[in-house]
Amino acid sequence: PRPQQPKAVVLPTGSQLPCFHGSSTIRHLKERFHMSMTEEQLQLLIEQLVDGSMRSITTKLYDGFQYLTNGIM
């Protein structure tokens, strides 16, 4: 198992919040943990996500916004 593997995940299945309503919301939340992937598959996925983010115009725009408004780079 991965060192960061959560021991327990509490999902808001009885929540009255509208964002948790719908048949696919909880399933999509579970999928974000990628628990069925091997360590190698997970490493590749993370590298792809970071690479895509670094090349994204929206990331660059958001970083610029953060720098101008908060001095965060």
Side-chain angles (χ1 to χ4, degrees), residues 15-32:
S15 176
Q16 297 303 311
L17 297 172
C19 60
F20 291 113
H21 290 198
S23 61
S24 62
T25 304
I26 299 299
R27 181 174 43 83
H28 288 156
L29 185 59
K30 286 179 180 179
E31 289 171 0
R32 287 182 165 207

Side-chain angles (χ1 to χ4, degrees), residues 27-72:
R27 181 174 43 83
H28 288 156
L29 185 59
K30 286 179 180 179
E31 289 171 0
R32 287 182 165 207
F33 286 100
H34 301 288
M35 297 307 295
S36 62
M37 288 187 168
T38 65
E39 191 73 25
E40 292 78 21
Q41 291 170 326
L42 187 60
Q43 184 174 355
L44 180 60
L45 173 66
I46 292 170
E47 288 172 2
Q48 291 170 342
L49 290 171
V50 170
D51 185 54
S53 178
M54 290 175 63
R55 291 184 286 113
S56 170
I57 186 66
T58 56
T59 299
K60 290 176 179 45
L61 291 171
Y62 183 74
D63 287 348
F65 172 77
Q66 287 294 322
Y67 179 73
L68 291 173
T69 59
N70 301 310
I72 300 172

